[in-house]
Amino acid sequence: VFNQPSSFQRYGYKILLYLRHCLTRKSFPTGSEITPESRIVTLRAELLRLLLRTEYKAPKSNMEIKEDSYRKHKCPYIHILMELDSKAFLDTIGILFDDPSASFADTSDMQETFEKWQNIEGEQSQEKTVCPDRMDLVRRIAYVLAGDSTATSGALIASEALDYFHDFLAKYLLKGLVRAPPTVICGVISRMSARSAQEDIIKLFQVLPRNSYSREDVLRVVEANEMSRAALILHKGGVSELFENGTDSTACSNHFMSAIDCYLHDEDVRFQREVFEYIKNECIGGSTAIISYGQNKNEETTVHDVLRNALCQKLPLLINLDPVPCAQLVAEIYVEELEKILSSLEERGDEMVFFKFFHAVISGDLVKADAVSGPVLLANMTIDHHQKYLELMAKFHPDMVYQYLTTSAKYRVEECLKLCQEYEIADASAYLLERMGNVSSALQLMLQTLEGRLMTLKRVVRGLSLSSYDNRGRFKFERNKLDIHTMVANLHQGKESQAVSQILTFGLDLCERNSGSSSNSEHGSQLWFNVLDRLINAKGFLRLSKELPEHSDIMFNVLSDLLRITMQRMVPNVPLPDLVRKITTDHAGNRLGEFREMISTMLKTFVSEMNVCSGAVNTMHEDVQKMNVVRFSLKVRGKKVSDMSATQKAHNTACSIICINGQGKASIVEHLDVSTTSKESGQHGISRLRNKRLMKTFGKSRNCGQLKVRHGMMSMPDKIFQFGESSDAAYMPRRIGILGQAEHFGRLK
């Protein structure tokens, strides 16, 4: 009946539906729950044994079977269902494999060989409550897919069936439920690579034993699909074999360099930087493992030697990735062979790599990252290394030369001067001329460079245009200041304007170093005046009068800013009489327009500083006044009383006082009788208090000859006592808590 295509699919899918119902504990076709539980256990085992049959058993002995029938195949039931729908059949089997309540026969943990994989005639467990081994079903499915040599219809199974089977194997290999020979695992990884499932491949490598697959075969698969992280796991395993088994050192070196390449080819920059930690662990940790001996027994080849020699070839790539951690590796691994490493870098011909390495060490970046290896490697740098570093700096980064020369002394001045003149580095050349004692030539060189850069800036300004000019070139005054200041602000952000400011700053630094009290008095203030004259005369050599109005206005603003910077630096270094004499004498014929804005700015700054100082004084006085108020309030501050019951019951005497605890409860404390001397001293103290109060009362200022009357909270007996009149009530015990009638009405002042 299965020979008819329509019947084949109709009954075949019905079989799959029946299997799915049974494995999910439902009866077919109603879908009701199968009871009891014991029947579910035996039913799963019976169905699995039926599927595992390698031959068809006819119900009748005289039943005739055709040659092209499915009954002639090995494992006929699996063959039919795999040809019908391999994915649906494998998903149905997956239900059984994923069921935690299903019990399977014990399986061996031994490695799956190809001979075991092809064996489908193994004995099965006959226990009714235990399902046969999972591997029995997996082997038979693989056998059906491989095709039976006695039949020719094996090609009828869809070509996608093998991919579905590899997906099925990958799932349960990750779970550790099945095994496979190395060739099959290679096919599984190839299928996973085609699906770009790199994370699953990495997990599979972590689950599988090392001897369950061929490293070289799997490497070819993952590298062909550009899975660098999966290949990294395999290359790391190849390096580990050198530590464990002492295998071929050449193969180990290749694996080590390939592992570095896997890190460097990754798209994640943070993952790339992990290569330095990996190299450190492998190279430093393997220094004690001996691989072989040379002709002399004392010549040992260690893992450290093998990996160190291999690492030399990857240093340029590591330097391009991050020169600081790479220099740290060199300090920890190659510090005794630094000359050899530098020679190998120089032989490769990549001078930029050479410069990056030198810069990481000499600039101090390595010292900041590692306070131990940084100084060690820096101490091994000779003056020749510094000279080479300066040569490469002049070639690739001439703007860094001046800063290096001013902060370091490890270079040859004459050679550096020739080098800077060769590469036309004006600021560095001027500094070296200054060091050689030729200050005037140094300043002259800087001023010439300043003129050249101002000419370059003028050409840049020529390319600008302002919308505030009409077609006839006449200026629109209502937008003059806004457009000019905006254009100048944008111009300052350009590299040409920054170059002008930089060379001027270097020239002013030179003037400041050579015109102070500790420098040679021969130059004095003349160096500053040379810079000032050059800036004031800049309008002449720039020929701004022949430029367009908008361009000349922009250059005037630039020159004004440069003059302002120069004058601000001159004020603390040049005596004021000399500065005033220079402006009023040498430039007496000018309109002094160049200085007007600068002088106005200086005066405004001075006024602002005076205002700040005045505000600080006022703030101080206000703070002192507030502190006095707080201090006075602390003197007259009372304490809240919440309970007076204890004072009413106690016997009040002249020697008793009221004490108030933290909860506001008042109580009377009795004191011992004081002696006559104590009473006299007390009366003397009272007399002094009376005199003090009288002085305060009659010593106050009077208005219209009368004493100012101020309302307060004092009662009449208190006022009588204040004016010196004694009252018996002042010395008698007074009851607290009972207030008299108010003596003042209205507003208190």
Side-chain angles (χ1 to χ4, degrees):
V1 70
F2 288 117
N3 293 333
Q4 300 177 9
S6 59
S7 300
F8 173 75
Q9 294 180 357
R10 181 155 46 91
Y11 287 104
Y13 279 109
K14 189 175 290 187
I15 293 172
L16 287 176
L17 186 59
Y18 172 75
L19 288 173
R20 183 175 289 271
H21 271 68
C22 294
L23 296 179
T24 55
R25 306 183 181 191
K26 297 178 181 179
S27 61
F28 182 82
T30 61
S32 59
E33 292 290 335
I34 298 177
T35 55
E37 183 70 21
S38 58
R39 178 54 188 153
I40 299 174
V41 176
T42 57
L43 180 59
R44 286 186 297 214
E46 291 173 3
L47 290 175
L48 197 55
R49 289 192 186 92
L50 177 64
L51 291 174
L52 292 177
R53 289 183 181 178
T54 58
E55 295 180 356
Y56 174 75
K57 293 183 179 180
K60 298 179 181 180
S61 58
N62 57 352
M63 181 178 178
E64 183 179 356
I65 301 175
K66 297 181 180 180
E67 290 297 328
D68 60 345
S69 174
Y70 288 100
R71 297 184 178 92
K72 286 289 186 179
H73 288 288
K74 287 284 188 180
C75 308
Y77 302 105
I78 295 177
H79 197 288
I80 291 173
L81 297 176
M82 287 292 291
E83 184 173 334
L84 173 69
D85 193 332
S86 56
K87 187 177 185 305
F89 174 64
L90 293 173
D91 290 342
T92 304
I93 298 301
I95 296 175
L96 179 61
F97 280 18
D98 293 334
D99 192 347
S101 63
S103 178
F104 291 89
D106 294 336
T107 181
S108 174
D109 293 333
M110 295 179 62
Q111 181 183 358
E112 186 74 12
T113 61
F114 192 71
E115 290 76 13
K116 290 182 180 180
W117 186 257
Q118 291 181 322
N119 183 19
I120 62 172
E121 301 295 341
E123 296 182 359
Q124 303 174 16
S125 174
Q126 298 301 322
E127 294 187 37
K128 294 183 179 181
T129 59
V130 178
C131 298
D133 188 4
R134 294 184 182 90
M135 289 303 302
D136 292 336
L137 181 58
V138 172
R139 293 189 187 105
R140 283 163 175 76
I141 296 174
Y143 179 84
V144 170
L145 290 174
D148 187 6
S149 59
T150 61
T152 59
S153 59
L156 296 176
I157 299 178
S159 59
E160 294 85 359
L162 186 59
D163 292 337
Y164 296 145
F165 180 59
H166 285 158
D167 294 340
F168 177 82
L169 281 179
K171 177 181 178 181
Y172 294 102
L173 283 170
L174 284 170
K175 293 184 177 182
L177 300 179
V178 298
R179 304 179 306 278
T183 54
V184 176
I185 290 180
C186 186
V188 171
I189 294 176
S190 178
R191 168 63 178 169
M192 297 171 72
S193 301
R195 293 190 295 110
S196 300
Q198 182 170 220
E199 295 297 329
D200 292 336
I201 294 177
I202 294 175
K203 293 179 182 178
L204 187 60
F205 289 152
Q206 295 172 351
V207 172
L208 295 176
R210 289 186 181 179
N211 56 0
S212 62
Y213 57 88
S214 173
R215 179 181 289 109
E216 301 301 328
D217 295 341
V218 175
L219 263 174
R220 283 192 291 269
V221 172
V222 296
E223 288 179 346
N225 290 274
E226 298 181 354
M227 294 190 172
S228 58
R229 297 196 183 186
L232 176 62
I233 301 295
L234 299 173
H235 288 304
K236 284 184 176 180
V239 176
S240 300
E241 287 186 354
L242 184 63
F243 293 94
E244 298 172 358
N245 305 325
T247 56
D248 184 12
S249 59
T250 303
C252 177
S253 300
N254 294 333
H255 281 301
F256 181 64
M257 291 187 292
S258 299
I260 296 175
D261 290 334
C262 291
Y263 276 109
L264 298 179
H265 294 161
D266 197 89
E267 297 179 354
D268 189 356
V269 178
R270 291 181 296 179
F271 185 81
Q272 291 178 5
R273 293 177 58 84
E274 294 179 7
V275 66
F276 298 107
E277 191 65 25
Y278 167 71
I279 294 173
K280 187 182 301 183
N281 293 336
E282 295 293 344
C283 293
I284 299 178
S287 59
T288 58
I290 300 175
I291 299 176
S292 61
Y293 295 93
Q295 296 180 354
N296 187 355
K297 290 272 180 138
N298 295 327
E299 297 178 358
E300 301 174 349
T301 302
T302 63
V303 174
H304 177 84
D305 298 330
V306 173
L307 300 184
R308 180 186 58 188
N309 296 333
L311 179 60
C312 286
Q313 305 178 33
K314 297 296 179 181
L315 282 179
L317 295 176
L318 296 173
I319 292 174
N320 285 327
L321 175 62
D322 195 334
V324 174
C326 186
Q328 186 178 6
L329 282 177
V330 172
E332 295 179 357
I333 301 174
Y334 302 104
V335 66
E336 297 178 354
E337 303 178 18
L338 182 60
E339 286 295 336
K340 180 180 177 181
I341 296 300
L342 295 177
S343 299
S344 64
L345 290 176
E346 190 173 9
E347 290 173 359
R348 295 182 180 275
D350 193 343
E351 293 183 335
M352 178 55 73
V353 171
F354 208 23
F355 170 75
K356 288 180 178 179
F357 179 79
F358 274 137
H359 183 69
V361 179
I362 299 177
S363 67
D365 293 340
L366 180 58
V367 176
K368 296 177 183 177
D370 190 341
V372 177
S373 60
V376 172
L377 195 59
L378 185 60
N380 283 272
M381 290 289 175
T382 63
I383 191 171
D384 293 331
H385 296 150
H386 285 267
Q387 197 69 27
K388 181 65 177 179
Y389 169 59
L390 189 59
E391 178 182 345
L392 296 173
M393 185 188 299
K395 184 175 182 180
F396 296 112
H397 296 281
D399 55 313
M400 298 170 54
V401 175
Y402 177 82
Q403 183 66 25
Y404 174 75
L405 294 176
T406 56
T407 56
S408 176
K410 294 184 178 180
Y411 54 86
R412 302 181 182 95
V413 178
E414 295 182 357
E415 294 182 13
C416 291
L417 179 59
K418 293 180 181 179
L419 181 66
C420 294
Q421 291 174 345
E422 178 183 354
Y423 287 97
E424 298 181 352
I425 308 174
D427 50 1
S429 300
Y431 177 77
L432 294 173
L433 286 173
E434 179 189 358
R435 284 201 58 181
M436 297 174 69
N438 198 348
V439 179
S440 300
S441 299
L443 182 61
Q444 188 67 22
L445 177 59
M446 284 195 175
L447 294 178
Q448 291 175 359
T449 306
L450 177 63
E451 291 180 357
R453 294 185 180 182
L454 284 173
M455 293 294 295
T456 303
L457 182 62
K458 187 184 75 169
R459 287 191 289 269
V460 173
V461 172
R462 282 178 179 175
L464 303 177
S465 62
L466 288 175
S467 59
S468 56
Y469 290 84
D470 57 17
N471 296 331
R472 299 180 181 179
R474 291 180 300 184
F475 198 77
K476 299 180 181 179
F477 292 98
E478 66 273 8
R479 300 185 58 186
N480 178 17
K481 293 184 178 180
L482 177 62
D483 289 341
I484 290 295
H485 289 311
T486 303
M487 190 64 68
V488 172
N490 295 333
L491 189 65
H492 282 326
Q493 299 177 359
K495 63 179 182 179
E496 292 82 6
S497 179
Q498 293 178 358
V500 171
S501 300
Q502 184 184 48
I503 194 64
L504 177 62
T505 302
F506 294 158
L508 297 178
D509 292 340
L510 184 146
C511 296
E512 190 170 348
R513 286 192 297 267
N514 292 274
S515 62
S517 58
S518 60
S519 60
N520 189 0
S521 59
E522 176 185 352
H523 306 287
S525 303
Q526 188 59 41
L527 296 175
W528 295 96
F529 294 155
N530 291 339
V531 178
L532 187 63
D533 292 339
R534 193 64 61 96
L535 289 176
I536 293 176
N537 298 328
K539 292 184 296 184
F541 68 79
L542 290 176
R543 298 180 180 179
L544 297 181
S545 59
K546 297 184 179 181
E547 298 292 331
L548 293 177
E550 63 268 27
H551 298 157
S552 60
D553 289 339
I554 294 175
M555 289 303 299
F556 278 137
N557 278 270
V558 172
L559 292 174
S560 297
D561 291 339
L562 298 179
L563 270 172
R564 177 178 52 82
I565 296 173
T566 303
M567 293 297 294
Q568 288 176 349
R569 295 285 297 272
M570 288 179 65
V571 168
N573 293 282
V574 178
L576 185 59
D578 295 347
L579 182 59
V580 174
R581 190 180 305 110
K582 176 67 177 179
I583 296 175
T584 56
T585 302
D586 294 357
H587 302 283
N590 298 337
R591 298 176 57 187
L592 301 180
E594 297 85 354
F595 303 100
R596 184 178 294 110
E597 184 178 355
M598 181 270 301
I599 295 174
S600 176
T601 303
M602 292 175 61
L603 294 176
K604 289 180 180 179
T605 304
F606 175 75
V607 172
S608 299
E609 292 178 354
M610 292 297 297
N611 292 335
V612 171
C613 294
S614 177
V617 172
N618 294 335
T619 303
M620 182 189 67
H621 288 315
E622 185 177 356
D623 291 343
V624 170
Q625 184 178 3
K626 290 181 178 180
M627 292 172 63
N628 290 331
V629 172
V630 172
R631 183 181 177 184
F632 179 76
S633 64
L634 291 175
K635 287 183 177 181
V636 301
R637 183 176 63 185
K639 193 164 187 180
K640 183 178 179 181
V641 178
S642 61
D643 187 5
M644 298 282 300
S645 59
T647 61
Q648 296 176 359
K649 297 178 182 180
H651 178 67
N652 298 338
T653 64
C655 298
S656 61
I657 62 173
I658 296 178
C659 292
I660 304 173
N661 58 14
Q663 289 76 25
K665 185 176 181 181
S667 61
I668 294 181
V669 179
E670 298 292 340
H671 277 222
L672 297 176
D673 293 337
V674 294
S675 61
T676 305
T677 306
S678 299
K679 291 181 179 180
E680 292 178 356
S681 61
Q683 292 176 358
H684 179 67
I686 291 174
S687 177
R688 293 180 61 187
L689 287 174
R690 288 176 181 172
N691 296 333
K692 186 176 182 181
R693 290 181 180 179
L694 288 173
M695 291 177 63
K696 287 185 177 180
T697 301
F698 294 101
K700 295 180 179 178
S701 62
R702 297 176 181 270
N703 187 13
C704 298
Q706 296 181 358
L707 179 67
K708 286 186 178 180
V709 179
R710 296 185 180 181
H711 296 293
M713 300 299 294
M714 297 177 62
S715 62
M716 288 302 298
D718 293 334
K719 288 183 177 180
I720 293 173
F721 181 79
Q722 181 180 9
F723 287 104
E725 298 179 6
S726 177
S727 174
D728 294 338
Y731 301 99
M732 293 174 62
R734 304 177 64 183
R735 189 173 297 277
I736 304 298
I738 301 177
L739 297 177
Q741 294 183 355
E743 298 184 7
H744 303 289
F745 298 92
R747 181 167 58 89
L748 294 177
K749 294 183 179 180

